[in-house]
Amino acid sequence: MRLSKYVMPLLREDSSDAQIVSHQLMLRSGMVRQTAAGIYAWMPLGLRVLDKIGQIVREEQDRAGAIEMLMPTIQPADLWRESGRYDAYGPEMLRIRDRHDRDMLFGPTAEEVITSLMRGSINSYRDLPRTLYNIQWKFRDEIRPRFGVMRGREFLMKDAYSFDLDIESARHSYNRMYVAYLRTFARMGLHAIPTKADPGPIGGDMSHEFILLANNGESDVFFHEEWEAGAQPQVPDFSDNDAIDAFVADRTQFYAATDEMHDPAMAAELGDKLKTARGIEVGHIFYFGTKYSESMGLKVQGPDGEVVTPQMGSYGVGVSRLAGAIIEASHDENGIIWPEAVAPFRVGIITIRASDAASCELAEQIYARLSDAGVDVLYDDRDERGGAKFAAMDLIGLPWQIIIGPKGVERGTVELKNRATGEREDLPLEELIARFV
Ligand code: ATP
Ligand code: MG
């Protein structure tokens, strides 16, 4: 992409709308713009990040055996009347009436829809277990939308739903998601801790929130030092259910809870192994038994011809929240530092002097070769001062910067800068290309 032909509306100054650094940087780098309270447009640069995050989530869901589908954003109220949640949900639900006076709503989550869809789609124990997921916009009329996309009203969520014949099988499904989530966040360069979460009225131990440590997080987290970054064991592979179950059993021995579930007496036993921090909830996995299958009449035929009500669980990831959360965890005073896996472009090209024909010619050549090889590259070909280009590149946080100036051109080298470490190297053209291709 050529910056001269792109839309990346940078802001020079901090915005008074943003209280935390990730929101500030998303506005300043032109990733998002607010169109109404808690509702954001994803500008071109932001959309590239959102898509990359979504794609990692998708690949890890697929790897775990979950099946992708797409459910509508607008749902009929009648489904929620069946489950009994229509009145219970409260003012976070955006209620809509259509021209025929039918009650509709913008889905805050999709348990009712998926349960209704599975009636008639799965009929026998042979159709189980199954986990389905979708990555779709949700709306919750949050009382206090804040921190930009981290607590929006409209937000993108991956929500998965598991269906199993019995509780033991539901535990496998749950454990697979636990492992899938660790893999997902690790691929984004994040360390998210699975903390014990409120299991709701059915009780039990199958509810975890995944918390990313960050100073601006909304939750207080208390955890065993075993959960610190760096000390994490390899996650098992999905072909071996026993290994998955053993892994989760092993990990869940180590204390981790947010303030809501924190047990000070239990935590005190850890002595100086107890760590505390602030964190952001980026995912939640949850087993809820037959709450929806029972109330909505989802049944399958069991192996002996008996009627079985499937066990269910749901599994959310805050896809749009992650864009902010990653920045919260990875930035410096000059701007964003994208982990390679989610960067909007892998590399940026800058010419120090836009008026130097030889520099521009070399930049064009590098841009063409990298683009042709399928590398995501952003070429700042604007007629701007070098200083402004450097500041913009640092702000938008691409992992690599290729810097081309008259001196280097004379010597036959270009400079490669690593955004995260600030390290710079002078490389001959072919060596530079070989780094990316
Ligand atoms: P929170 O406690 O932060 O409100 P929640 O418990 O309501 O979250 P879930 O219903 O479990 O969240 O939703 C799954 C995931 O969706 C959350 O882990 C979070 O990452 C994301 N999420 C929830 N609400 C929002 C929101 N208002 N804006 C952006 N992402 C959200
Ligand atoms: Mg909420």
Side-chain angles (χ1 to χ4, degrees):
M1 182 58 64
R2 287 172 189 278
L3 200 41
S4 65
K5 305 231 169 359
Y6 205 43
V7 176
M8 194 175 82
L10 302 183
L11 299 179
R12 256 184 252 287
E13 318 254 299
D14 277 354
S15 158
S16 59
D17 296 339
Q19 301 145 32
I20 63 170
V21 66
S22 57
H23 188 193
Q24 202 62 264
L25 289 172
M26 288 182 83
L27 292 173
R28 287 194 41 209
S29 63
M31 287 178 65
V32 293
R33 286 290 182 264
Q34 181 173 282
T35 62
I39 302 179
Y40 290 86
W42 290 77
M43 301 302 282
L45 193 74
L47 178 62
R48 294 181 75 98
V49 173
L50 192 65
D51 282 346
K52 292 216 168 159
I53 294 171
Q55 185 57 24
I56 292 174
V57 170
R58 176 176 290 119
E59 286 170 16
E60 294 304 325
Q61 289 293 294
D62 292 347
R63 192 193 304 277
I67 309 161
E68 187 169 16
M69 65 178 298
L70 187 60
M71 290 182 269
T73 54
I74 306 292
Q75 307 178 3
D78 280 344
L79 285 180
W80 290 66
R81 293 196 175 103
E82 282 185 50
S83 72
R85 278 211 292 184
Y86 189 61
D87 295 324
Y89 207 90
E92 272 195 12
M93 178 184 280
L94 181 65
R95 295 156 204 262
I96 305 166
R97 185 156 296 159
D98 73 10
R99 67 198 294 164
H100 303 293
D101 261 354
R102 279 185 289 245
D103 290 326
M104 312 291 283
L105 57 102
F106 196 119
T109 176
E111 282 82 3
E112 282 78 0
V113 174
I114 191 78
T115 306
S116 75
L117 293 169
M118 287 306 107
R119 294 191 295 225
S121 301
I122 54 175
N123 303 301
S124 141
Y125 70 95
R126 290 192 204 86
D127 299 329
L128 299 178
R130 291 289 187 278
T131 297
L132 293 121
Y133 75 96
N134 77 165
I135 300 175
Q136 178 61 292
W137 294 93
K138 306 288 185 290
F139 194 95
R140 294 182 187 173
D141 206 350
E142 299 274 356
I143 187 163
R144 214 167 291 113
R146 57 180 190 158
F147 301 159
V149 300
M150 292 230 281
R151 183 168 297 286
R153 293 198 296 165
E154 188 182 55
F155 59 98
L156 189 59
M157 192 204 284
K158 184 283 299 180
D159 41 325
Y161 304 90
S162 62
F163 299 86
D164 285 272
L165 198 61
D166 53 37
I167 296 178
E168 199 194 337
S169 169
R171 183 173 286 279
H172 287 309
S173 297
Y174 181 89
N175 288 348
R176 291 173 83 80
M177 283 292 145
Y178 183 104
V179 169
Y181 276 37
L182 288 178
R183 292 186 57 102
T184 301
F185 299 127
R187 274 188 63 187
M188 295 173 194
L190 301 176
H191 175 53
I193 302 178
T195 62
K196 211 166 134 161
D198 187 353
I202 76 168
D205 59 352
M206 284 195 270
S207 178
H208 285 89
E209 285 174 355
F210 287 72
I211 308 285
L212 175 68
L213 301 186
N215 295 336
N216 285 320
E218 291 183 296
S219 321
D220 282 308
V221 212
F222 303 84
F223 56 94
H224 190 291
E225 67 180 10
E226 176 71 21
W227 283 115
E228 281 178 319
Q232 300 304 301
Q234 199 65 26
V235 294
D237 130 2
F238 286 107
S239 59
D240 186 346
N241 245 340
D242 292 340
I244 298 260
D245 292 350
F247 175 85
V248 176
D250 177 61
R251 296 313 291 165
T252 47
Q253 305 170 58
F254 298 107
Y255 187 83
T258 56
D259 34 2
E260 282 168 24
M261 292 295 288
H262 182 48
D263 177 345
M266 198 167 163
E269 287 171 24
L270 300 183
D272 61 4
K273 290 193 167 66
L274 179 69
K275 306 289 166 194
T276 64
R278 297 199 54 88
I280 301 164
E281 180 191 327
V282 289
H284 187 186
I285 60 176
F286 188 43
Y287 160 77
F288 47 73
T290 58
K291 180 172 177 195
Y292 300 94
S293 44
E294 183 78 58
S295 58
M296 298 183 70
L298 171 64
K299 295 182 177 71
V300 301
Q301 194 169 52
D304 302 314
E306 74 280 27
V307 173
V308 181
T309 302
Q311 302 287 324
M312 291 175 60
S314 71
Y315 313 91
V317 170
V319 174
S320 50
R321 176 178 288 185
L322 273 163
I326 292 169
I327 297 174
E328 216 46 64
S330 185
H331 66 269
D332 65 12
E333 66 281 4
N334 298 320
I336 303 168
I337 303 175
W338 289 114
E340 286 223 27
V342 296
F345 296 92
R346 191 167 160 214
V347 52
I349 302 174
I350 299 174
T351 50
I352 299 176
R353 204 179 301 151
S355 59
D356 180 47
S359 298
C360 293
E361 205 174 295
L362 184 58
E364 288 288 342
Q365 196 188 335
I366 294 172
Y367 174 62
R369 287 187 62 182
L370 292 178
S371 306
D372 289 350
V375 178
D376 283 338
V377 44
L378 181 67
Y379 172 23
D380 189 349
D381 60 342
R382 296 170 305 164
D383 187 12
E384 281 272 355
R385 288 177 303 110
K389 293 185 180 183
F390 286 126
M393 252 333 147
D394 278 351
L395 174 63
I396 68 172
L398 308 186
W400 299 99
Q401 299 173 10
I402 296 171
I403 301 161
I404 302 169
K407 285 201 196 109
V409 171
E410 243 166 65
R411 285 197 303 267
T413 62
V414 291
E415 189 173 79
L416 180 64
K417 177 180 154 188
N418 179 314
R419 173 67 180 87
T421 63
E423 259 170 81
R424 294 159 185 269
E425 295 172 81
D426 283 318
L427 297 173
L429 176 63
E430 292 310 319
E431 232 176 275
L432 173 89
I433 300 286
R435 287 290 181 91
F436 294 99
V437 175

